[in-house]
Each structure stands twice: as C-alpha cells, then as structure tokens.
Amino acid sequence: MNDAPRNDTRKAELLSSVVEHIDIKSFDARPIVDAMKKMSFTSRDLGRAAEIYNQMLADPDCAIFLVVAGSTSAGGCMDLYAELVRNNMVDGIVATGATIVDMDFFEALGHKHYQALEIPDDDTLRSLYIDRIYDTYIDEESLQETDHTIAEIANGLEPRPYSSRAFIREMGKWLVANGKKENSLVKLAYEHDVPIFCPAFTDSSAGFGLVKHQVDRMKAGQAYMTMDSIADFRELTDIKIAAGTTGLLMIGGGVPKNFIQDTVVCAEILGHEDVEVHKYAVQITVADVRDGACSSSTLQEAASWGKVSTAMEQMVFAEATSVLPLLASDAYHRGHWQGRAKRAFAKMFD
C-alpha cells in the first residue's frame, strides 16, 4: 500500500450504501415459481430447475452439493447460502476461494460489500483503495486485513500439508471464537459438519495470506504449512463414493463445476466402477456455450464424459442473483428439507 494522501471523505461517500443480503425465509416464492412453470423461455427453465432441486431434497438417498463460482455472495446471496447450510438443504460445498474468503469470511470479520451507486473512473477508485466487482465495491484495506487474518490462522497450525477442506474448517473454528457475524457460511459449515472445498484456494485473498505465512516462516528458518490440491480431489471423491446418489446445485461454473463432476471419473479410476453419475443437476449461468469452456458447457455435454445423468438436469441461462432467490425460497417453503438425514460428511476426516 502506498503512502499517498487519500480523500477519505470521498471514499466514505462511495462506501455508504451497504449490500443487504436477501432473506429467503421472508417471502414465499412458491406462487410465482408455479406460475413460471406455465410460461416459456427462462421462466419455464427456472420452474423445472426448482422442481429438480425439490426432488433432490425429497430423495432420502440423495446427497446435495452446492457449487458456487462468481460473485453472487458479494451481490446479495450470502445469507441465502447460509440458510441452505443451516436448514440441511446441502451436504457439501465446492466453491471458488473468492466466494469463501474474499466474500463470506471477509464479512464474518465485520466488513461489508457496498452498492456502487456511482462509478467514477477506476483509476480514482484505485487511488481510494476501493475494489470494484461490476456494480459492487469492496474496501481494499479491509480486504488486506482479511489476508493478514488468513496468515495468522496459518501461523497457528501445525506445519504440514492441508487440503482446502481442512484449512477452511480451521477458518470456521476460528470464527466460532472470533467472528463478528452469525450468518457466515464458513462458520455454519463448521458447526454443521458440512465440508467446503476450494480447488483453486490460493487464487483468492487466502493466497496472499498463505504466501505471507510461507515467506515469513522461510525467513525465520521455520517449517510452514502447504496446500495439498491432490488431497482435495481425493477427499471429495471419497465423499462421492460414500454418498452414492448425488445432486448438484451449481451457480456459475469454472473450476468448482468441473471439480465436483470429475469425482465420478476419479472414482472409476480408483476401481469403483459401480459409482453413480450425478443423478440430479441444475446449473444457473450466463456463460455462452459457443466458447467451449467448462463454465458454459451444458449438462448434457457432461453426460458424454460420464459425469451427469441427462434424465434430471436443467440449465438456466440467467444472472443468478435474479433467479436463485426464487428457487431457494421455493424449496425452503415447500419444506422437503424437514426430516432430511444429516450426513455430516466433514466427520469422515476427523
């Protein structure tokens, strides 16, 4: 951080409107979702996606994975994801490091995301240490505090390799003692034994904190912890093998989407030829299918790789913050989660 003077008054003006996270319990989306099922285009797609998610919840044999890429947590869906964990509506999470660290853990430390009600040129934002995600602001100084907190957590651990799941569990444990927000996904996942995997964990604020931990330890001639990405894949595959029937609720795509889908192939390579493909799958995305990327690849395309069944899958091409609250509220109020068996997959690794 440079020492150039900043206009703190201007910064305070820009960081004045806090993003408020939607509460899926506060409204009942069932009537509108039912109506959308009788429409066409994206509305009907969303209606079918809601039906499939409710089927996952109603299926006593189905373990559900929430898969998140993109910035929906910063954009107002953070409490939505927390409610899915709190109400036993998901059994495991695969997400980007940004979703888990830069957004959820960041707010658990007491920081906020802000609506960008006006957007000056981005050089001005940089001079004020304000980071921009489309129409949302983050205070860079608060983000760097998050980096240093990650380093502090790493400093307190035994110097050995950790999967992202193991390290994020330590983050959740730290939040129980030190956090400033009850509705944190990381904290709730720790308390409910829901494992969180970030296959590209260091591609986030966690990376800065872990690099600082490693460099400081190297300078001091001390041993340091490392991240074990192979353990990530092995542990998630172990869960898939143990789970049997599985369903995917995917927001965005990218690395988390491919990572959870690949567990089927990995299980086969390990000799579990009877492993089931993911029986249910929903993906909400705005990615263009024409670029050949994983984010945009359809779930039917995934079937050609032996990852997903085509019987109960639905793509919803929409910006997720505009449709996900409807899907989640619909599922919450239909109540199939009530009485669902709690799988507590995190206990597999205790």
Side-chain angles (χ1 to χ4, degrees), residues 68-119:
V68 186
S71 300
T72 48
S73 290
C77 291
M78 197 173 295
D79 288 357
L80 181 159
Y81 295 136
E83 287 299 331
L84 297 186
V85 171
R86 178 181 282 111
N87 294 292
N88 195 33
M89 297 170 74
V90 296
D91 305 297
I93 299 168
V94 185
T96 59
T99 295
I100 298 304
V101 184
D102 303 48
M103 299 173 197
D104 184 86
F105 189 73
F106 172 83
E107 287 209 1
L109 297 180
H111 307 307
K112 301 292 183 181
H113 292 85
Y114 301 91
Q115 293 180 312
L117 301 181
E118 61 170 304
I119 303 177

Coordinates of all heavy atoms in Angstrom, one line a residue, residues 68-119:
V68 N -20.4 -23.2 -6.3 CA -20.6 -21.8 -6.5 C -19.3 -21.2 -7.1 O -18.2 -21.3 -6.6 CB -20.8 -21.0 -5.1 CG1 -21.1 -19.5 -5.4 CG2 -22.0 -21.7 -4.4
A69 N -19.5 -20.5 -8.2 CA -18.4 -19.7 -8.8 C -19.1 -18.3 -9.1 O -20.3 -18.2 -9.2 CB -17.9 -20.3 -10.1
G70 N -18.2 -17.3 -9.2 CA -18.8 -16.0 -9.5 C -18.9 -15.2 -8.2 O -18.5 -15.6 -7.1
S71 N -19.6 -14.1 -8.3 CA -19.7 -13.1 -7.2 C -21.1 -12.9 -6.6 O -21.4 -11.9 -6.0 CB -19.2 -11.7 -7.7 OG -17.8 -11.8 -8.1
T72 N -21.9 -14.0 -6.6 CA -23.2 -13.9 -6.1 C -23.2 -13.6 -4.6 O -24.2 -13.0 -4.0 CB -24.1 -15.1 -6.3 OG1 -23.3 -16.3 -6.0 CG2 -24.4 -15.2 -7.8
S73 N -22.2 -14.1 -3.9 CA -22.1 -13.8 -2.4 C -22.0 -12.3 -2.1 O -22.6 -11.7 -1.3 CB -21.0 -14.6 -1.8 OG -21.3 -15.9 -1.7
A74 N -21.1 -11.7 -2.9 CA -20.9 -10.2 -2.8 C -22.2 -9.5 -3.2 O -22.5 -8.4 -2.7 CB -19.7 -9.8 -3.6
G75 N -22.9 -10.1 -4.2 CA -24.1 -9.4 -4.8 C -25.4 -9.5 -4.0 O -26.4 -9.0 -4.4
G76 N -25.4 -10.2 -2.9 CA -26.6 -10.3 -2.0 C -27.1 -11.6 -1.7 O -28.2 -11.8 -1.1
C77 N -26.4 -12.7 -2.1 CA -26.9 -14.1 -1.9 C -26.2 -14.8 -0.7 O -26.3 -16.0 -0.5 CB -26.7 -14.9 -3.1 SG -27.9 -14.4 -4.5
M78 N -25.4 -14.0 0.0 CA -24.6 -14.6 1.1 C -25.4 -15.3 2.2 O -25.2 -16.5 2.6 CB -23.7 -13.6 1.7 CG -22.5 -14.2 2.5 SD -21.4 -12.9 3.1 CE -20.7 -12.2 1.5
D79 N -26.5 -14.6 2.6 CA -27.3 -15.2 3.6 C -28.2 -16.4 3.1 O -28.5 -17.3 3.8 CB -28.3 -14.2 4.2 CG -27.5 -13.2 5.1 OD1 -26.3 -13.4 5.3 OD2 -28.1 -12.2 5.6
L80 N -28.5 -16.3 1.8 CA -29.2 -17.4 1.1 C -28.4 -18.7 1.2 O -28.9 -19.8 1.6 CB -29.4 -17.1 -0.3 CG -30.1 -18.0 -1.3 CD1 -30.7 -17.2 -2.5 CD2 -29.3 -19.2 -1.8
Y81 N -27.1 -18.6 0.9 CA -26.2 -19.8 1.0 C -26.1 -20.3 2.5 O -26.1 -21.5 2.8 CB -24.8 -19.5 0.5 CG -24.8 -19.2 -1.0 CD1 -24.0 -18.2 -1.5 CD2 -25.5 -20.0 -1.9 CE1 -24.0 -17.9 -2.9 CE2 -25.5 -19.7 -3.3 CZ -24.7 -18.7 -3.7 OH -24.7 -18.4 -5.1
A82 N -26.1 -19.4 3.4 CA -26.0 -19.7 4.8 C -27.3 -20.5 5.3 O -27.2 -21.5 6.0 CB -25.8 -18.5 5.7
E83 N -28.4 -20.1 4.8 CA -29.7 -20.7 5.1 C -29.7 -22.2 4.6 O -30.3 -23.1 5.2 CB -30.9 -19.9 4.6 CG -31.2 -18.7 5.4 CD -31.5 -18.9 6.8 OE1 -32.0 -20.0 7.2 OE2 -31.2 -18.0 7.7
L84 N -29.1 -22.4 3.4 CA -29.1 -23.7 2.8 C -28.4 -24.7 3.8 O -28.7 -25.8 4.0 CB -28.5 -23.7 1.5 CG -29.2 -23.0 0.4 CD1 -28.5 -23.2 -1.0 CD2 -30.7 -23.3 0.3
V85 N -27.3 -24.2 4.4 CA -26.5 -25.0 5.3 C -27.3 -25.1 6.6 O -27.4 -26.2 7.2 CB -25.1 -24.4 5.6 CG1 -24.4 -25.1 6.7 CG2 -24.3 -24.5 4.3
R86 N -27.8 -24.0 7.1 CA -28.5 -24.1 8.4 C -29.7 -25.0 8.4 O -29.9 -25.7 9.4 CB -28.9 -22.7 8.8 CG -29.7 -22.6 10.1 CD -30.2 -21.2 10.4 NE -29.1 -20.4 11.0 CZ -28.5 -19.3 10.3 NH1 -29.0 -19.0 9.1 NH2 -27.6 -18.7 10.9
N87 N -30.3 -25.1 7.3 CA -31.5 -25.9 7.2 C -31.3 -27.3 6.5 O -32.3 -27.9 6.1 CB -32.6 -25.2 6.5 CG -33.1 -23.9 7.3 OD1 -33.7 -24.1 8.3 ND2 -32.7 -22.8 6.8
N88 N -30.1 -27.7 6.5 CA -29.8 -29.1 6.0 C -30.3 -29.3 4.5 O -30.8 -30.3 4.2 CB -30.3 -30.2 6.9 CG -29.8 -31.5 6.6 OD1 -28.6 -31.7 6.3 ND2 -30.6 -32.6 6.8
M89 N -30.1 -28.2 3.7 CA -30.5 -28.3 2.3 C -29.3 -28.6 1.4 O -29.6 -28.7 0.2 CB -31.2 -27.0 2.0 CG -32.5 -26.8 2.8 SD -33.2 -25.1 2.6 CE -34.0 -25.3 0.9
V90 N -28.1 -28.6 1.9 CA -26.9 -29.0 1.2 C -26.1 -29.8 2.1 O -26.1 -29.6 3.3 CB -26.1 -27.9 0.6 CG1 -27.0 -27.1 -0.5 CG2 -25.7 -26.9 1.6
D91 N -25.3 -30.7 1.5 CA -24.4 -31.6 2.3 C -22.9 -31.4 2.1 O -22.1 -31.9 2.9 CB -24.8 -33.1 2.0 CG -26.2 -33.4 2.2 OD1 -26.7 -33.3 3.3 OD2 -26.9 -33.7 1.2
G92 N -22.6 -30.7 1.1 CA -21.2 -30.4 0.8 C -21.1 -29.2 -0.1 O -22.1 -28.8 -0.8
I93 N -20.0 -28.5 -0.1 CA -19.9 -27.2 -0.9 C -18.6 -27.3 -1.7 O -17.5 -27.6 -1.1 CB -19.9 -26.0 0.0 CG1 -21.3 -25.9 0.8 CG2 -19.7 -24.7 -0.8 CD1 -21.3 -24.9 1.9
V94 N -18.6 -26.9 -2.9 CA -17.4 -26.7 -3.7 C -17.5 -25.3 -4.3 O -18.5 -24.9 -4.9 CB -17.3 -27.7 -4.9 CG1 -15.9 -27.5 -5.6 CG2 -17.4 -29.1 -4.3
A95 N -16.5 -24.4 -4.0 CA -16.6 -23.0 -4.4 C -15.3 -22.4 -4.7 O -14.2 -23.1 -4.5 CB -17.3 -22.2 -3.2
T96 N -15.3 -21.3 -5.3 CA -14.1 -20.5 -5.5 C -13.5 -20.0 -4.2 O -14.3 -19.7 -3.3 CB -14.3 -19.4 -6.5 OG1 -15.3 -18.5 -5.9 CG2 -14.7 -19.9 -7.9
G97 N -12.3 -19.7 -4.2 CA -11.7 -19.1 -3.0 C -12.3 -17.7 -2.7 O -12.4 -17.3 -1.6
A98 N -12.6 -17.0 -3.8 CA -13.2 -15.7 -3.6 C -14.5 -15.7 -2.9 O -14.8 -14.9 -2.0 CB -13.4 -15.0 -5.0
T99 N -15.3 -16.7 -3.3 CA -16.6 -16.9 -2.6 C -16.5 -17.1 -1.1 O -17.2 -16.5 -0.3 CB -17.4 -18.1 -3.2 OG1 -17.7 -17.7 -4.6 CG2 -18.7 -18.4 -2.5
I100 N -15.5 -18.0 -0.8 CA -15.3 -18.4 0.6 C -14.6 -17.4 1.4 O -14.9 -17.0 2.6 CB -14.7 -19.8 0.7 CG1 -15.6 -20.8 0.0 CG2 -14.4 -20.2 2.1 CD1 -17.0 -20.9 0.6
V101 N -13.5 -16.8 0.9 CA -12.6 -16.0 1.6 C -12.9 -14.5 1.4 O -13.2 -13.7 2.4 CB -11.1 -16.3 1.3 CG1 -10.2 -15.4 2.2 CG2 -10.8 -17.7 1.5
D102 N -12.8 -14.0 0.2 CA -12.9 -12.6 -0.1 C -14.3 -12.1 0.2 O -14.5 -10.9 0.3 CB -12.7 -12.3 -1.6 CG -11.3 -12.8 -2.0 OD1 -10.9 -13.9 -1.7 OD2 -10.6 -12.0 -2.7
M103 N -15.3 -13.0 0.2 CA -16.7 -12.5 0.4 C -17.3 -13.0 1.8 O -17.6 -12.2 2.6 CB -17.6 -13.0 -0.7 CG -17.1 -12.5 -2.1 SD -17.9 -13.2 -3.5 CE -16.8 -12.7 -4.8
D104 N -17.4 -14.3 2.0 CA -18.0 -14.8 3.2 C -17.1 -14.5 4.4 O -17.6 -13.9 5.4 CB -18.4 -16.2 3.1 CG -19.1 -16.7 4.4 OD1 -20.3 -16.6 4.4 OD2 -18.5 -17.2 5.3
F105 N -15.9 -15.0 4.4 CA -15.0 -14.8 5.6 C -14.8 -13.3 5.8 O -14.7 -12.9 7.0 CB -13.7 -15.6 5.3 CG -12.8 -15.6 6.5 CD1 -13.0 -16.5 7.6 CD2 -11.6 -14.8 6.5 CE1 -12.2 -16.5 8.7 CE2 -10.8 -14.9 7.6 CZ -11.0 -15.7 8.7
F106 N -14.6 -12.6 4.7 CA -14.5 -11.1 4.8 C -15.6 -10.5 5.6 O -15.3 -9.7 6.5 CB -14.5 -10.6 3.3 CG -14.5 -9.1 3.2 CD1 -13.3 -8.4 3.2 CD2 -15.7 -8.5 2.9 CE1 -13.3 -7.0 3.0 CE2 -15.7 -7.1 2.7 CZ -14.5 -6.4 2.8
E107 N -16.8 -10.8 5.3 CA -18.0 -10.3 6.1 C -18.0 -10.8 7.5 O -18.5 -10.1 8.4 CB -19.3 -10.5 5.3 CG -19.4 -9.6 4.1 CD -20.9 -9.2 3.8 OE1 -21.8 -9.7 4.5 OE2 -21.1 -8.5 2.8
A108 N -17.6 -12.1 7.7 CA -17.6 -12.6 9.0 C -16.6 -11.9 9.9 O -16.8 -12.0 11.2 CB -17.2 -14.1 8.9
L109 N -15.7 -11.2 9.4 CA -14.7 -10.4 10.2 C -15.3 -9.0 10.5 O -14.7 -8.2 11.2 CB -13.4 -10.2 9.4 CG -12.6 -11.4 9.1 CD1 -11.3 -11.1 8.4 CD2 -12.3 -12.2 10.4
G110 N -16.5 -8.7 10.0 CA -17.2 -7.5 10.3 C -17.2 -6.5 9.1 O -17.7 -5.4 9.3
H111 N -16.6 -6.9 8.0 CA -16.6 -6.0 6.8 C -17.9 -6.1 6.0 O -18.7 -7.0 6.2 CB -15.3 -6.3 6.0 CG -14.1 -6.2 6.8 ND1 -13.7 -5.2 7.6 CD2 -13.1 -7.2 6.9 CE1 -12.5 -5.5 8.2 NE2 -12.2 -6.7 7.8
K112 N -18.0 -5.2 5.0 CA -19.2 -5.2 4.2 C -18.9 -5.0 2.7 O -17.8 -4.6 2.4 CB -20.1 -3.9 4.6 CG -20.5 -3.9 6.1 CD -21.5 -5.1 6.4 CE -22.0 -5.0 7.8 NZ -22.9 -6.1 8.1
H113 N -19.9 -5.3 1.9 CA -19.8 -5.0 0.5 C -20.8 -3.8 0.3 O -21.8 -3.7 1.0 CB -20.3 -6.2 -0.4 CG -19.3 -7.4 -0.3 ND1 -19.3 -8.3 0.7 CD2 -18.3 -7.7 -1.2 CE1 -18.3 -9.2 0.5 NE2 -17.7 -8.8 -0.6
Y114 N -20.5 -3.0 -0.7 CA -21.3 -1.8 -0.9 C -21.8 -1.7 -2.4 O -21.1 -2.1 -3.3 CB -20.4 -0.6 -0.6 CG -19.8 -0.6 0.8 CD1 -18.6 -1.1 1.1 CD2 -20.6 0.0 1.8 CE1 -18.1 -1.2 2.4 CE2 -20.1 0.0 3.1 CZ -18.8 -0.6 3.4 OH -18.3 -0.6 4.7
Q115 N -23.0 -1.1 -2.5 CA -23.5 -0.8 -3.8 C -22.8 0.3 -4.4 O -22.5 1.3 -3.8 CB -25.0 -0.5 -3.7 CG -25.9 -1.6 -3.2 CD -27.4 -1.1 -3.2 OE1 -27.7 -0.1 -2.6 NE2 -28.3 -1.9 -3.7
A116 N -22.4 0.2 -5.7 CA -21.8 1.3 -6.4 C -22.9 2.1 -7.1 O -23.2 1.9 -8.2 CB -20.8 0.7 -7.5
L117 N -23.4 3.1 -6.3 CA -24.4 3.9 -6.8 C -23.9 4.9 -7.9 O -24.7 5.4 -8.7 CB -25.1 4.6 -5.7 CG -25.7 3.7 -4.6 CD1 -26.4 4.5 -3.5 CD2 -26.7 2.7 -5.3
E118 N -22.7 5.2 -7.8 CA -22.0 5.9 -8.9 C -20.6 5.3 -9.1 O -20.0 4.8 -8.2 CB -21.9 7.4 -8.5 CG -21.0 7.7 -7.3 CD -20.7 9.2 -7.1 OE1 -20.2 9.7 -8.0 OE2 -21.1 9.7 -6.0
I119 N -20.2 5.3 -10.3 CA -18.9 4.7 -10.6 C -18.0 5.7 -11.3 O -18.1 6.0 -12.5 CB -19.0 3.5 -11.6 CG1 -20.0 2.4 -10.9 CG2 -17.7 2.8 -11.8 CD1 -20.2 1.2 -11.7

